[in-house]
Amino acid sequence: MGTWDAVVVGGGHNGLVTAAYLARAGQSVLVLEARDRVGGTAVTEEPWPGFRVSTAAYVVSLFRPEIVRDLELERHGYALLARSPSSFTPFPDGRHLLMGPDPELNRREVSKFSARDAERLPAYEAMLERIARAIEPTLLETPPDPFSGRPADLWRLARTGWRFLRLGRDGPRAVEVMAGAARAVLDRWFESDEVKATLATDAIIGAMASPATPGTAYVLFHHVMGECNGARGVWGYVKGGMGSLSEAIAAAARARGAEIRTGARVARVEVREGAAVGVVLEDGTEVAARRVVSSVDATVTLLGLVGPEHVAADVAEAVRAIDYSSASLKINLALSEAPSFAALPGHGPGPQHRGTIHVCPSLDYIERAYDDARAGRPSASPVLECTIPSAVDPTIAPPGRHVMQMFVQYAPYRLAEGSWDDRKEAFADRCVDLLDAYAPGFRKSILGRQVLSPLDLERRFALTGGNIFQGAMGLSQLHFMRPIPGCADYRTPVRRLYLCGAATHPGGGVMGACGYNAAREILRDVRRGR
Ligand SMILES: Cc1cc2nc3c(=O)[nH]c(=O)nc-3n(C[C@H](O)[C@H](O)[C@H](O)COP(=O)(O)OP(=O)(O)OC[C@H]3O[C@@H](n4cnc5c(N)ncnc54)[C@H](O)[C@@H]3O)c2cc1C
């Protein structure tokens, strides 16, 4: 092939979505993925024979139903398994809290801790749902730039503003959700620390922040948007592991004519006279293209693959200022049996195994864990989110055996002492011991263990600073400011070079929205002959 219409750098799920839509529009598209398989952080791997692990991302809800329909992903093998209950929190005093999509279960369970909270929970959820209805349409829109002075931007901004105005009395609450601290929101609605701690975990996922940090209410909200098989705010597992979604998108892209090469690491984006003209692979292969689309983060793309010499000084400075602070670590485990919790005994699998198991007994516990991270120490008592997808999906583990994925906070990328390579196994021991205290015998059930420190996440997936979202999700890095102000329309200062990954609006998460929006903007340029 001489010159491709588009080369996509990175076969993560967003790069694949962009490739599929471009190919559907008749463009010749080549995806170049550095790793030996597609998916990026939405991937399934088999570290131990018979155990299929979602190495990084593990639950899905935000993935856009429009993309499922357009690309006929179900025909290509994509199936979502809903989780009910969706969470289980055991407490040191032997009590437990189950929550999920069933309102009656929630009422019963929350009443064990506070009758008032049980009464208020439906109103809280309804409030978030009303805000979600106003904000969700923006996920599949290119953010208007309020400072561009372009009439089209102002018109689109007015349309977004109108949606907010229609929120009426929910408007101020929406502003708090966009900019405030999760703790303040939860304190106003609920009195039980157990309930608040369980809900607060969504606010800190992937963030170097505690629920008391301004901006965390949005992270909490980000996690209540979305749906699972039409049920709002419910998170599910992808059948076969997260990689099955990426494989389905890849199959859809291939069916529409895209070519996908794995084991093809791009070393450089070729720039001539301010425009991208192709890429050079690590092995020296040159690939010519009319457009280059990168699903890798803005720092790796603009300062690494392109090089600061091709980028204006103020742009390079803005890219260097992107906040990648991060404190997440992942432990993947093969288990001989599901854990039996003192608070709800039984190896089941039962309701306590189906959803996310939170080890996070109080808001102050999270604050203390965060204080350690601020001082550059892995938390002495970490916050654990454990999932056992094999309790719902028997295809991913040998009969009777289980896969556990432990998402751990806080593991600060920058350590005050030592290196992650030397410290990660000891920290993982601490996490295992912690869960063992709630589920005696758990430690002995471990057949295999994989620990991914923030440094490993950076090396393995090219995530700057180990940030799981290709850039922190604070207000100053969202919407028209993502990845940097002036570049939120998926175009970059290098002509014919685009970004399509989580670094762009609407950010991190297995949503497909970044890739979808980028494809729309690229096709607009194709039509205009730009
Ligand atoms: C540990 C962890 C847990 C997470 N948990 C969840 C979760 O449960 N639910 C959720 O919704 N989200 C979760 N996320 C976030 C979510 O996975 C990501 O935001 C999303 O998958 C990003 O997809 P992407 O396609 O934009 O980028 P990526 O997945 O980062 O894909 C980029 C791709 O580019 C490739 N690449 C990099 N450099 C090169 C190069 N030079 N040449 C060629 N290819 C290259 C990479 O190998 C990768 O495949 C998690 C992330 C992590 C890391």
Side-chain angles (χ1 to χ4, degrees):
M1 188 99 192
T3 301
W4 296 85
D5 288 330
V7 160
V8 178
V9 182
H13 85 283
N14 274 314
L16 295 169
V17 167
T18 300
Y21 276 94
L22 294 183
R24 189 174 84 143
Q27 297 275 293
S28 62
V29 186
L30 172 66
V31 179
L32 298 167
E33 167 54 45
R35 303 191 70 221
D36 66 351
R37 69 194 64 205
V38 296
T41 50
V43 71
T44 307
E45 289 171 287
E46 203 170 320
W48 313 282
F51 293 89
R52 294 172 55 72
V53 170
S54 296
T55 313
Y58 50 103
V59 279
V60 75
S61 157
L62 297 163
F63 195 78
R64 300 290 87 206
E66 293 85 347
I67 303 174
V68 177
R69 279 195 300 272
D70 286 352
L71 301 182
E72 304 167 291
L73 294 185
E74 280 156 5
R75 202 164 66 75
H76 292 290
Y78 171 58
L80 203 48
L81 304 170
R83 312 181 309 164
S84 182
S86 52
S87 81
F88 167 67
T89 314
F91 295 98
D93 64 6
R95 294 189 295 168
H96 73 265
L97 173 63
L98 287 164
M99 292 180 82
D102 174 358
E104 182 45 33
L105 171 99
N106 290 344
R107 197 197 53 73
R108 238 181 12 247
E109 286 285 313
V110 173
S111 317
K112 295 190 313 201
F113 298 89
S114 160
R116 178 176 171 269
D117 289 356
E119 216 170 277
R120 290 176 71 95
L121 184 65
Y124 167 79
E125 287 177 338
M127 180 267 300
L128 289 180
E129 160 111 34
R130 287 194 299 276
I131 298 175
R133 268 204 300 268
I135 291 182
E136 223 170 37
T138 66
L139 297 180
L140 289 187
E141 289 172 1
T142 301
D145 181 351
F147 304 111
S148 74
R150 286 189 296 258
D153 278 337
L154 295 177
W155 161 245
R156 288 190 297 125
L157 199 64
R159 206 175 53 188
T160 309
W162 173 240
R163 268 194 223 119
F164 268 88
L165 289 181
R166 283 176 45 200
L167 277 168
R169 285 179 6 173
D170 285 325
R173 289 168 169 173
V175 172
E176 187 181 29
V177 159
M178 297 301 287
R183 184 164 192 155
V185 175
L186 293 169
D187 276 344
R188 195 142 25 76
W189 278 89
F190 304 109
E191 61 183 11
S192 152
D193 207 21
E194 290 83 357
V195 173
K196 286 188 276 189
T198 298
L199 296 173
T201 52
D202 276 347
I204 56 163
I205 292 291
M208 175 65 180
S210 85
T213 312
T216 47
Y218 181 75
V219 182
L220 179 123
F221 176 71
H222 190 77
H223 284 92
V224 301
M225 282 194 289
E227 56 158 73
C228 178
N229 295 333
R232 175 67 108 163
V234 176
W235 287 74
Y237 297 123
V238 176
K239 187 165 183 225
M242 192 60 87
S244 301
L245 169 56
S246 302
E247 293 289 348
I249 308 169
R254 284 194 194 96
R256 285 156 183 78
E259 187 174 325
I260 300 170
R261 283 186 211 155
T262 53
R265 182 176 294 278
V266 172
R268 209 169 68 234
V269 172
E270 282 287 270
V271 179
R272 249 175 254 143
E273 292 166 15
V277 293
V279 299
V280 180
L281 301 190
E282 220 171 39
D283 66 6
T285 308
E286 294 180 10
V287 182
R290 288 181 192 87
R291 290 166 215 278
V292 176
V293 192
S294 173
S295 65
V296 189
D297 75 35
T299 301
V300 174
T301 303
L302 291 171
L303 303 184
L305 301 178
V306 168
E309 65 278 16
H310 294 295
V311 179
D314 60 329
V315 172
E317 194 183 315
V319 172
R320 284 194 192 97
I322 294 174
D323 178 8
Y324 288 104
S325 54
S326 136
S328 309
L329 176 143
K330 184 95 188 290
I331 304 172
N332 297 315
L333 301 165
L335 303 180
S336 62
E337 60 184 358
S340 173
F341 292 88
L344 189 56
H347 291 285
Q352 66 274 48
H353 301 111
R354 280 186 224 131
T356 300
I357 299 155
H358 296 286
V359 174
C360 162
S362 70
L363 285 175
D364 286 343
Y365 177 100
I366 307 178
E367 298 290 347
R368 280 194 297 276
Y370 176 58
D371 284 345
D372 285 337
R374 275 200 307 185
R377 293 186 303 264
S379 303
S381 298
V383 177
L384 308 183
E385 271 216 18
C386 308
T387 45
I388 310 176
S390 48
V392 178
D393 179 2
T395 68
I396 57 170
R401 308 279 202 224
H402 287 281
V403 163
M404 178 184 275
Q405 296 153 170
M406 223 186 232
F407 188 87
V408 184
Q409 302 231 137
Y410 297 87
Y413 176 78
R414 281 181 215 297
L415 289 172
E417 274 175 38
S419 80
W420 269 115
D421 288 340
D422 298 334
R423 296 189 64 174
K424 68 177 187 178
E425 293 299 336
F427 182 61
D429 286 343
R430 190 184 300 169
C431 298
V432 166
D433 288 348
L434 180 59
L435 192 61
D436 194 78
Y438 286 86
F442 164 69
R443 193 188 306 111
K444 281 201 260 86
S445 72
I446 296 175
L447 305 170
R449 178 168 103 174
Q450 176 190 52
V451 186
L452 297 172
S453 73
L455 194 60
D456 294 325
L457 294 175
E458 180 174 61
R459 290 176 187 146
R460 188 179 273 240
F461 299 112
L463 293 171
T464 302
N467 187 288
I468 71 164
F469 295 136
Q470 292 194 1
M473 296 277 287
L475 187 59
S476 61
Q477 290 193 174
L478 290 175
H479 209 243
F480 67 90
M481 288 178 285
R482 193 169 186 89
I484 55 168
C487 293
D489 64 358
Y490 307 90
R491 297 169 183 87
T492 72
V494 177
R495 275 183 294 116
R496 295 173 170 248
L497 172 69
Y498 304 80
L499 292 175
C500 71
T504 62
H505 169 77
V510 182
M511 284 189 272
C514 308
Y516 176 96
N517 292 343
R520 184 185 56 236
E521 293 301 326
I522 295 164
L523 290 172
R524 194 167 279 165
D525 284 357
V526 170
R527 278 197 303 277
R528 290 174 181 165
R530 284 191 186 156

